[in-house]
Amino acid sequence: MSKQKVIICPNIQENLAQTACECSHDKIFILTDQNTRDCCLPFIEHIPGLKEAGILCIEAGDAHKTLETLASVWTSLGNQGATRHSLMINLGGGMVTDLGGFAASTFKRGIPYINIPTTLLAMVDASVGGKTGINFNGLKNEIGVFSPATHVLIDTRFLQSLDHPNILSGYAEMLKHGLISTTSHWAELLNFDMNQIDYGKLQELVALSVQIKEDIVEQDPFEKGIRKALNLGHTVGHAFESLALAHQHPVLHGYAVAWGIVCELYFSHIKVGFPKEKLRQTVRFIKENYGVFAFDCKQYDTLYEFMTHDKKNTSGIINFTLLGEIGDIRINQSANKEEIFEMLDFYRETMGC
Ligand code: GLY
């Protein structure tokens, strides 16, 4: 897989003008959703070279990450004269970068694209590492390809207008990166004041977080081994997300991951010796900032069912990524139903639900 250039931009206008020059193209197309068209496009549309760009706009939200939306993007590209030498720029959160990346990677067998993530979740996770795709048949990210953007341009000034829940949602993936990297980075993340955000400091933390993800993706772009480290918190997190959706109370992805981290660090403690004090400190941070996802023991079977359908499983065995210590990654761990129910008991007792 070709390596992508990830640039933390002091000035998105300059960086984008230069990047657009570097990528040879006949026409440029900018994909936005309704929110980023109004709030973020004005930052870049006057850049020399982009004034003539075709603007494509899709409806915002994960519910629109569909085959129909994808087809509408292909249709607009075709109608507006895109060729296999055109360049696409995806301006938005993870939904836009995932769907736009997939649209670009398949249009006329693939055109280059640049990601400009505008949410914290997209900056530290979705836009980096080449996973693209759409939801299909009720399953998240069911259809897609590994196909990296040529460039990912990250301007953390976009975060200043992001609401607090979406900051927290992205921050959960940063916390995950802290847990799989070093004790000092993990401690720095726990000490960051989420209620009074220092955006300069946040930019430094974002840069470090992205570097952690890039290093892992470079070693294992197709998730055969060490990239599974990035799944920490996600086996249980996806089950929480699915349960919430089934009850028509969707939760933000990062919140579900944070609650999933509580469960999977508990497993890490009992199965591979993750230190109890670090478990306690991480749980306290998550409880204070993310609150609690409440459920009772009548929902254990449903949660277990969701875990058995996780696409990371092989031969029906539920796959977890655990930690023996911060940075000591143990991929391909499993747990049986009884252990999973005990873990859910731990979660409810510790979180107080
Ligand atoms: N979001 C996890 C990964 O990119 O592998």
Side-chain angles (χ1 to χ4, degrees), residues 31-34 56-77 88 95-96 98-100 102-103 133-136:
L31 180 71
T32 69
D33 65 22
Q34 293 145 330
L56 316 178
C57 183
I58 55 178
E59 284 188 82
D62 205 61
H64 299 286
K65 195 175 160 184
T66 59
L67 189 56
E68 291 69 35
T69 309
L70 177 68
S72 77
V73 173
W74 286 327
T75 303
S76 302
L77 284 170
M88 188 137 135
M95 183 269 188
V96 171
D98 278 9
L99 186 143
F102 189 39
I134 55 164
N135 304 332
F136 188 67

mmCIF file of all heavy atoms in Angstrom, residues 31-34 56-77 88 95-96 98-100 102-103 133-136:
data_model
loop_
_atom_site.group_PDB
_atom_site.id
_atom_site.type_symbol
_atom_site.label_atom_id
_atom_site.label_comp_id
_atom_site.label_asym_id
_atom_site.label_seq_id
_atom_site.Cartn_x
_atom_site.Cartn_y
_atom_site.Cartn_z
ATOM 1 N N LEU A 31 -15.466 17.157 -1.993
ATOM 2 C CA LEU A 31 -16.662 16.523 -1.414
ATOM 3 C C LEU A 31 -16.863 17.061 0.000
ATOM 4 O O LEU A 31 -15.939 17.030 0.830
ATOM 5 C CB LEU A 31 -16.477 14.999 -1.359
ATOM 6 C CG LEU A 31 -17.675 14.239 -0.758
ATOM 7 C CD1 LEU A 31 -18.871 14.264 -1.704
ATOM 8 C CD2 LEU A 31 -17.302 12.780 -0.443
ATOM 9 N N THR A 32 -18.076 17.540 0.260
ATOM 10 C CA THR A 32 -18.424 18.029 1.610
ATOM 11 C C THR A 32 -19.738 17.353 2.032
ATOM 12 O O THR A 32 -20.413 16.731 1.216
ATOM 13 C CB THR A 32 -18.699 19.548 1.622
ATOM 14 O OG1 THR A 32 -19.928 19.789 0.906
ATOM 15 C CG2 THR A 32 -17.580 20.345 0.978
ATOM 16 N N ASP A 33 -20.100 17.511 3.313
ATOM 17 C CA ASP A 33 -21.494 17.253 3.665
ATOM 18 C C ASP A 33 -22.143 18.621 3.896
ATOM 19 O O ASP A 33 -21.474 19.664 3.769
ATOM 20 C CB ASP A 33 -21.623 16.267 4.841
ATOM 21 C CG ASP A 33 -21.061 16.810 6.147
ATOM 22 O OD1 ASP A 33 -20.946 18.045 6.298
ATOM 23 O OD2 ASP A 33 -20.735 15.993 7.033
ATOM 24 N N GLN A 34 -23.430 18.602 4.279
ATOM 25 C CA GLN A 34 -24.113 19.903 4.374
ATOM 26 C C GLN A 34 -23.465 20.808 5.429
ATOM 27 O O GLN A 34 -23.434 22.025 5.281
ATOM 28 C CB GLN A 34 -25.587 19.701 4.742
ATOM 29 C CG GLN A 34 -26.374 19.028 3.654
ATOM 30 C CD GLN A 34 -27.439 18.100 4.226
ATOM 31 O OE1 GLN A 34 -27.263 17.532 5.313
ATOM 32 N NE2 GLN A 34 -28.532 17.950 3.510
ATOM 33 N N LEU A 56 -19.122 18.882 -4.549
ATOM 34 C CA LEU A 56 -20.118 17.819 -4.380
ATOM 35 C C LEU A 56 -20.545 17.839 -2.922
ATOM 36 O O LEU A 56 -19.704 17.918 -2.033
ATOM 37 C CB LEU A 56 -19.526 16.444 -4.698
ATOM 38 C CG LEU A 56 -18.649 16.291 -5.949
ATOM 39 C CD1 LEU A 56 -18.126 14.863 -6.042
ATOM 40 C CD2 LEU A 56 -19.443 16.632 -7.196
ATOM 41 N N CYS A 57 -21.844 17.779 -2.682
ATOM 42 C CA CYS A 57 -22.321 17.838 -1.296
ATOM 43 C C CYS A 57 -23.258 16.668 -1.015
ATOM 44 O O CYS A 57 -24.183 16.410 -1.784
ATOM 45 C CB CYS A 57 -23.040 19.174 -1.065
ATOM 46 S SG CYS A 57 -23.577 19.364 0.636
ATOM 47 N N ILE A 58 -22.998 15.971 0.087
ATOM 48 C CA ILE A 58 -23.877 14.852 0.464
ATOM 49 C C ILE A 58 -24.526 15.163 1.815
ATOM 50 O O ILE A 58 -24.069 16.061 2.534
ATOM 51 C CB ILE A 58 -23.093 13.514 0.534
ATOM 52 C CG1 ILE A 58 -21.895 13.633 1.486
ATOM 53 C CG2 ILE A 58 -22.635 13.077 -0.844
ATOM 54 C CD1 ILE A 58 -21.104 12.331 1.652
ATOM 55 N N GLU A 59 -25.558 14.409 2.138
ATOM 56 C CA GLU A 59 -26.225 14.632 3.423
ATOM 57 C C GLU A 59 -25.326 14.154 4.560
ATOM 58 O O GLU A 59 -24.603 13.162 4.411
ATOM 59 C CB GLU A 59 -27.558 13.896 3.454
ATOM 60 C CG GLU A 59 -28.614 14.627 2.641
ATOM 61 C CD GLU A 59 -29.983 14.009 2.837
ATOM 62 O OE1 GLU A 59 -30.647 14.314 3.834
ATOM 63 O OE2 GLU A 59 -30.355 13.206 1.963
ATOM 64 N N ALA A 60 -25.387 14.873 5.685
ATOM 65 C CA ALA A 60 -24.497 14.551 6.804
ATOM 66 C C ALA A 60 -25.023 13.377 7.618
ATOM 67 O O ALA A 60 -26.230 13.112 7.649
ATOM 68 C CB ALA A 60 -24.359 15.782 7.700
ATOM 69 N N GLY A 61 -24.108 12.657 8.253
ATOM 70 C CA GLY A 61 -24.509 11.628 9.212
ATOM 71 C C GLY A 61 -24.311 10.216 8.699
ATOM 72 O O GLY A 61 -24.432 9.946 7.498
ATOM 73 N N ASP A 62 -24.043 9.315 9.668
ATOM 74 C CA ASP A 62 -23.734 7.923 9.337
ATOM 75 C C ASP A 62 -24.883 7.230 8.591
ATOM 76 O O ASP A 62 -24.650 6.312 7.808
ATOM 77 C CB ASP A 62 -23.416 7.171 10.645
ATOM 78 C CG ASP A 62 -22.526 5.974 10.392
ATOM 79 O OD1 ASP A 62 -21.394 6.176 9.899
ATOM 80 O OD2 ASP A 62 -22.981 4.843 10.647
ATOM 81 N N ALA A 63 -26.114 7.692 8.834
ATOM 82 C CA ALA A 63 -27.272 7.076 8.168
ATOM 83 C C ALA A 63 -27.177 7.236 6.647
ATOM 84 O O ALA A 63 -27.831 6.507 5.894
ATOM 85 C CB ALA A 63 -28.556 7.716 8.680
ATOM 86 N N HIS A 64 -26.362 8.192 6.200
ATOM 87 C CA HIS A 64 -26.238 8.435 4.749
ATOM 88 C C HIS A 64 -24.958 7.845 4.153
ATOM 89 O O HIS A 64 -24.637 8.111 2.990
ATOM 90 C CB HIS A 64 -26.318 9.938 4.468
ATOM 91 C CG HIS A 64 -27.612 10.532 4.904
ATOM 92 N ND1 HIS A 64 -28.782 10.338 4.219
ATOM 93 C CD2 HIS A 64 -27.932 11.250 6.009
ATOM 94 C CE1 HIS A 64 -29.777 10.933 4.865
ATOM 95 N NE2 HIS A 64 -29.289 11.486 5.953
ATOM 96 N N LYS A 65 -24.277 7.028 4.955
ATOM 97 C CA LYS A 65 -23.038 6.409 4.443
ATOM 98 C C LYS A 65 -23.434 5.130 3.686
ATOM 99 O O LYS A 65 -23.129 4.008 4.096
ATOM 100 C CB LYS A 65 -22.129 6.105 5.632
ATOM 101 C CG LYS A 65 -20.695 5.811 5.313
ATOM 102 C CD LYS A 65 -19.917 5.668 6.621
ATOM 103 C CE LYS A 65 -18.637 4.930 6.478
ATOM 104 N NZ LYS A 65 -17.970 4.746 7.787
ATOM 105 N N THR A 66 -24.155 5.330 2.614
ATOM 106 C CA THR A 66 -24.841 4.225 1.938
ATOM 107 C C THR A 66 -24.419 4.099 0.474
ATOM 108 O O THR A 66 -23.800 5.010 -0.101
ATOM 109 C CB THR A 66 -26.365 4.482 1.936
ATOM 110 O OG1 THR A 66 -26.566 5.741 1.258
ATOM 111 C CG2 THR A 66 -26.939 4.567 3.332
ATOM 112 N N LEU A 67 -24.867 2.995 -0.111
ATOM 113 C CA LEU A 67 -24.638 2.759 -1.537
ATOM 114 C C LEU A 67 -25.295 3.861 -2.381
ATOM 115 O O LEU A 67 -24.742 4.298 -3.389
ATOM 116 C CB LEU A 67 -25.222 1.384 -1.886
ATOM 117 C CG LEU A 67 -24.928 0.807 -3.246
ATOM 118 C CD1 LEU A 67 -23.426 0.721 -3.493
ATOM 119 C CD2 LEU A 67 -25.556 -0.586 -3.376
ATOM 120 N N GLU A 68 -26.483 4.342 -1.933
ATOM 121 C CA GLU A 68 -27.185 5.385 -2.689
ATOM 122 C C GLU A 68 -26.345 6.673 -2.709
ATOM 123 O O GLU A 68 -26.188 7.315 -3.751
ATOM 124 C CB GLU A 68 -28.559 5.696 -2.067
ATOM 125 C CG GLU A 68 -29.598 4.595 -2.197
ATOM 126 C CD GLU A 68 -29.307 3.349 -1.361
ATOM 127 O OE1 GLU A 68 -28.764 3.489 -0.239
ATOM 128 O OE2 GLU A 68 -29.573 2.224 -1.844
ATOM 129 N N THR A 69 -25.807 7.033 -1.545
ATOM 130 C CA THR A 69 -24.985 8.257 -1.501
ATOM 131 C C THR A 69 -23.734 8.070 -2.353
ATOM 132 O O THR A 69 -23.326 8.972 -3.100
ATOM 133 C CB THR A 69 -24.584 8.591 -0.040
ATOM 134 O OG1 THR A 69 -25.749 8.577 0.768
ATOM 135 C CG2 THR A 69 -23.910 9.951 0.054
ATOM 136 N N LEU A 70 -23.129 6.883 -2.220
ATOM 137 C CA LEU A 70 -21.920 6.601 -3.006
ATOM 138 C C LEU A 70 -22.225 6.745 -4.503
ATOM 139 O O LEU A 70 -21.487 7.402 -5.247
ATOM 140 C CB LEU A 70 -21.450 5.178 -2.687
ATOM 141 C CG LEU A 70 -20.251 4.665 -3.466
ATOM 142 C CD1 LEU A 70 -18.988 5.420 -3.088
ATOM 143 C CD2 LEU A 70 -20.064 3.170 -3.226
ATOM 144 N N ALA A 71 -23.364 6.154 -4.925
ATOM 145 C CA ALA A 71 -23.733 6.226 -6.344
ATOM 146 C C ALA A 71 -23.948 7.675 -6.761
ATOM 147 O O ALA A 71 -23.582 8.077 -7.881
ATOM 148 C CB ALA A 71 -24.994 5.394 -6.588
ATOM 149 N N SER A 72 -24.511 8.492 -5.844
ATOM 150 C CA SER A 72 -24.749 9.902 -6.201
ATOM 151 C C SER A 72 -23.422 10.638 -6.395
ATOM 152 O O SER A 72 -23.322 11.538 -7.226
ATOM 153 C CB SER A 72 -25.637 10.588 -5.145
ATOM 154 O OG SER A 72 -24.873 10.894 -3.994
ATOM 155 N N VAL A 73 -22.398 10.233 -5.634
ATOM 156 C CA VAL A 73 -21.083 10.874 -5.807
ATOM 157 C C VAL A 73 -20.470 10.453 -7.144
ATOM 158 O O VAL A 73 -19.982 11.301 -7.906
ATOM 159 C CB VAL A 73 -20.133 10.535 -4.617
ATOM 160 C CG1 VAL A 73 -18.715 11.054 -4.870
ATOM 161 C CG2 VAL A 73 -20.685 11.098 -3.313
ATOM 162 N N TRP A 74 -20.539 9.159 -7.456
ATOM 163 C CA TRP A 74 -20.023 8.714 -8.769
ATOM 164 C C TRP A 74 -20.751 9.449 -9.905
ATOM 165 O O TRP A 74 -20.133 9.902 -10.864
ATOM 166 C CB TRP A 74 -20.267 7.209 -8.957
ATOM 167 C CG TRP A 74 -19.390 6.287 -8.188
ATOM 168 C CD1 TRP A 74 -18.088 6.473 -7.834
ATOM 169 C CD2 TRP A 74 -19.758 4.977 -7.688
ATOM 170 N NE1 TRP A 74 -17.624 5.371 -7.148
ATOM 171 C CE2 TRP A 74 -18.620 4.441 -7.048
ATOM 172 C CE3 TRP A 74 -20.923 4.216 -7.726
ATOM 173 C CZ2 TRP A 74 -18.618 3.174 -6.441
ATOM 174 C CZ3 TRP A 74 -20.923 2.958 -7.136
ATOM 175 C CH2 TRP A 74 -19.782 2.444 -6.494
ATOM 176 N N THR A 75 -22.090 9.564 -9.756
ATOM 177 C CA THR A 75 -22.882 10.230 -10.807
ATOM 178 C C THR A 75 -22.456 11.685 -10.958
ATOM 179 O O THR A 75 -22.235 12.180 -12.077
ATOM 180 C CB THR A 75 -24.390 10.154 -10.467
ATOM 181 O OG1 THR A 75 -24.732 8.781 -10.318
ATOM 182 C CG2 THR A 75 -25.252 10.775 -11.552
ATOM 183 N N SER A 76 -22.297 12.392 -9.840
ATOM 184 C CA SER A 76 -21.905 13.810 -9.923
ATOM 185 C C SER A 76 -20.520 13.953 -10.528
ATOM 186 O O SER A 76 -20.273 14.879 -11.315
ATOM 187 C CB SER A 76 -21.900 14.466 -8.541
ATOM 188 O OG SER A 76 -23.159 14.356 -7.965
ATOM 189 N N LEU A 77 -19.608 13.053 -10.151
ATOM 190 C CA LEU A 77 -18.260 13.126 -10.740
ATOM 191 C C LEU A 77 -18.364 12.981 -12.265
ATOM 192 O O LEU A 77 -17.788 13.776 -13.017
ATOM 193 C CB LEU A 77 -17.367 12.013 -10.176
ATOM 194 C CG LEU A 77 -16.837 12.202 -8.749
ATOM 195 C CD1 LEU A 77 -16.180 10.917 -8.232
ATOM 196 C CD2 LEU A 77 -15.829 13.349 -8.670
ATOM 197 N N MET A 88 -9.610 14.337 -6.045
ATOM 198 C CA MET A 88 -10.744 14.602 -5.147
ATOM 199 C C MET A 88 -10.214 15.060 -3.791
ATOM 200 O O MET A 88 -9.178 14.574 -3.325
ATOM 201 C CB MET A 88 -11.537 13.307 -4.989
ATOM 202 C CG MET A 88 -12.807 13.514 -4.253
ATOM 203 S SD MET A 88 -14.100 12.618 -5.076
ATOM 204 C CE MET A 88 -14.857 11.901 -3.669
ATOM 205 N N MET A 95 -17.335 10.121 8.143
ATOM 206 C CA MET A 95 -18.291 9.639 7.147
ATOM 207 C C MET A 95 -17.885 10.139 5.752
ATOM 208 O O MET A 95 -17.884 9.383 4.773
ATOM 209 C CB MET A 95 -19.702 10.139 7.537
ATOM 210 C CG MET A 95 -20.804 9.667 6.635
ATOM 211 S SD MET A 95 -21.036 10.876 5.318
ATOM 212 C CE MET A 95 -22.503 10.272 4.543
ATOM 213 N N VAL A 96 -17.491 11.415 5.666
ATOM 214 C CA VAL A 96 -17.097 11.991 4.365
ATOM 215 C C VAL A 96 -15.769 11.394 3.888
ATOM 216 O O VAL A 96 -15.621 11.037 2.712
ATOM 217 C CB VAL A 96 -16.999 13.538 4.452
ATOM 218 C CG1 VAL A 96 -16.381 14.133 3.196
ATOM 219 C CG2 VAL A 96 -18.382 14.138 4.697
ATOM 220 N N ASP A 98 -14.428 8.467 4.726
ATOM 221 C CA ASP A 98 -14.600 7.034 4.387
ATOM 222 C C ASP A 98 -15.311 6.869 3.044
ATOM 223 O O ASP A 98 -14.848 6.138 2.161
ATOM 224 C CB ASP A 98 -15.468 6.323 5.437
ATOM 225 C CG ASP A 98 -14.683 5.905 6.671
ATOM 226 O OD1 ASP A 98 -13.519 6.304 6.805
ATOM 227 O OD2 ASP A 98 -15.254 5.182 7.514
ATOM 228 N N LEU A 99 -16.467 7.533 2.913
ATOM 229 C CA LEU A 99 -17.251 7.378 1.685
ATOM 230 C C LEU A 99 -16.545 8.033 0.498
ATOM 231 O O LEU A 99 -16.477 7.461 -0.602
ATOM 232 C CB LEU A 99 -18.652 7.963 1.886
ATOM 233 C CG LEU A 99 -19.639 7.745 0.733
ATOM 234 C CD1 LEU A 99 -21.054 7.492 1.261
ATOM 235 C CD2 LEU A 99 -19.666 8.908 -0.258
ATOM 236 N N GLY A 100 -15.991 9.225 0.727
ATOM 237 C CA GLY A 100 -15.281 9.932 -0.355
ATOM 238 C C GLY A 100 -14.050 9.154 -0.803
ATOM 239 O O GLY A 100 -13.753 9.077 -1.994
ATOM 240 N N PHE A 102 -13.678 5.954 -0.678
ATOM 241 C CA PHE A 102 -14.137 4.785 -1.438
ATOM 242 C C PHE A 102 -14.595 5.212 -2.838
ATOM 243 O O PHE A 102 -14.271 4.554 -3.843
ATOM 244 C CB PHE A 102 -15.262 4.089 -0.678
ATOM 245 C CG PHE A 102 -15.673 2.757 -1.261
ATOM 246 C CD1 PHE A 102 -14.743 1.871 -1.782
ATOM 247 C CD2 PHE A 102 -17.016 2.383 -1.271
ATOM 248 C CE1 PHE A 102 -15.124 0.638 -2.311
ATOM 249 C CE2 PHE A 102 -17.407 1.163 -1.792
ATOM 250 C CZ PHE A 102 -16.460 0.285 -2.328
ATOM 251 N N ALA A 103 -15.324 6.333 -2.902
ATOM 252 C CA ALA A 103 -15.794 6.828 -4.208
ATOM 253 C C ALA A 103 -14.599 7.108 -5.119
ATOM 254 O O ALA A 103 -14.573 6.688 -6.289
ATOM 255 C CB ALA A 103 -16.631 8.089 -4.027
ATOM 256 N N GLY A 133 -14.867 3.098 2.921
ATOM 257 C CA GLY A 133 -16.020 2.224 2.755
ATOM 258 C C GLY A 133 -17.351 2.862 3.115
ATOM 259 O O GLY A 133 -17.437 4.047 3.461
ATOM 260 N N ILE A 134 -18.369 2.008 3.030
ATOM 261 C CA ILE A 134 -19.743 2.419 3.335
ATOM 262 C C ILE A 134 -20.404 1.338 4.203
ATOM 263 O O ILE A 134 -19.914 0.209 4.275
ATOM 264 C CB ILE A 134 -20.582 2.604 2.040
ATOM 265 C CG1 ILE A 134 -20.538 1.312 1.182
ATOM 266 C CG2 ILE A 134 -20.126 3.815 1.245
ATOM 267 C CD1 ILE A 134 -21.605 1.245 0.108
ATOM 268 N N ASN A 135 -21.526 1.710 4.815
ATOM 269 C CA ASN A 135 -22.344 0.721 5.522
ATOM 270 C C ASN A 135 -23.206 -0.013 4.486
ATOM 271 O O ASN A 135 -23.571 0.564 3.458
ATOM 272 C CB ASN A 135 -23.257 1.408 6.539
ATOM 273 C CG ASN A 135 -22.462 2.263 7.524
ATOM 274 O OD1 ASN A 135 -21.302 1.970 7.800
ATOM 275 N ND2 ASN A 135 -23.084 3.305 8.050
ATOM 276 N N PHE A 136 -23.552 -1.269 4.786
ATOM 277 C CA PHE A 136 -24.342 -2.033 3.801
ATOM 278 C C PHE A 136 -25.121 -3.120 4.520
ATOM 279 O O PHE A 136 -24.578 -3.781 5.419
ATOM 280 C CB PHE A 136 -23.393 -2.656 2.760
ATOM 281 C CG PHE A 136 -24.094 -3.290 1.598
ATOM 282 C CD1 PHE A 136 -24.816 -2.518 0.692
ATOM 283 C CD2 PHE A 136 -24.036 -4.658 1.401
ATOM 284 C CE1 PHE A 136 -25.470 -3.093 -0.379
ATOM 285 C CE2 PHE A 136 -24.682 -5.247 0.330
ATOM 286 C CZ PHE A 136 -25.408 -4.459 -0.569
#
